[in-house]
Amino acid sequence: MQQRSDEALMKAYAGGDMKAFEVLYGRHRGPLYRYILRQVGEPATANDLYQQSWEKVIRSRHRFRESSPFQAWMYRIARNNVIDHFRRQKPLDKRLPDEVEAPGPGPEERTDDVHRQQDLERALHELQDEQKEVLLLKLESGLILKTIADVVCINQEKAKSRLRYAVSKLRACLAKER
């Protein structure tokens, strides 16, 4: 069952095969959660949106068409959950969270990995939302450009362009941090 495509597994699940769902869930739980977490920044909110996304996958299983890519369908569901979450929120100012903004303890108390993570979070925060979204779909989920384009409802060239600008801006921000 591990060798079956996501689309075939989803069709089997829609037909009542719970093992097929378990395989799908196992394949996609980590990347999907990381994608949502990077979008919202809070583990509690990410957990809620993650669970809601899987609930919608479960409820919509009979509407899935095997001819369309499962990953694009699943990430579109997650993306729409994230968008709906932000629409329900009051406008937030774009400042970084306190733990990222505040100067940390001296170098003797922090590892290089922590500093690099903070630098990366700051750099990600500098990206436009559209650029950040395609970058996270690529890095966190490993999606190909065509699937990314399907998820965010743009053409493949626009997805490629957003990814290129995101990588370029990320590099510039990280170079500035050093």
Side-chain angles (χ1 to χ4, degrees), residues 6 19 25 39 58 60 97 125 131 134 138 150 153 158 160 164 167:
D6 290 343
K19 290 283 186 200
Y25 183 79
Q39 291 286 15
I58 291 166
S60 303
H125 184 73
Q131 293 170 353
V134 296
K138 180 69 175 168
D150 289 345
C153 303
K158 187 169 252 183
K160 184 177 180 180
R164 186 179 65 244
V167 169

Side-chain angles (χ1 to χ4, degrees), residues 103-119:
E108 66 280 357
E109 297 174 45
R110 303 204 89 177
T111 65
D112 287 340
D113 287 343
V114 171
H115 288 294
R116 278 192 288 266
Q117 183 65 31
Q118 287 178 331
D119 292 345

Side-chain angles (χ1 to χ4, degrees), residues 2 4-10 20-36 50 53-54 57 64 69-75 78 137 140-144 147:
Q2 290 288 345
R4 293 170 65 188
S5 72
D6 290 343
E7 295 75 20
L9 288 168
M10 190 62 192
F21 178 77
E22 290 172 13
V23 172
L24 275 174
Y25 183 79
R27 280 184 190 171
H28 299 289
R29 69 177 178 223
L32 182 65
Y33 176 76
R34 288 189 303 272
Y35 165 73
I36 294 170
Y50 173 77
S53 296
W54 280 110
V57 166
F64 176 75
F70 172 77
Q71 280 187 309
W73 182 72
M74 178 187 67
Y75 278 94
L137 285 167
E140 295 291 350
S141 306
L143 299 181
I144 61 172
T147 305

Side-chain angles (χ1 to χ4, degrees), residues 142-154:
L143 299 181
I144 61 172
L145 274 174
K146 181 176 179 356
T147 305
I148 292 170
D150 289 345
V151 169
V152 297
C153 303
I154 57 175

Side-chain angles (χ1 to χ4, degrees), residues 84-94:
D84 290 344
H85 164 74
F86 284 120
R87 284 182 182 151
R88 288 188 299 267
Q89 302 300 308
K90 294 179 185 174
L92 301 174
D93 78 84
K94 289 271 197 170

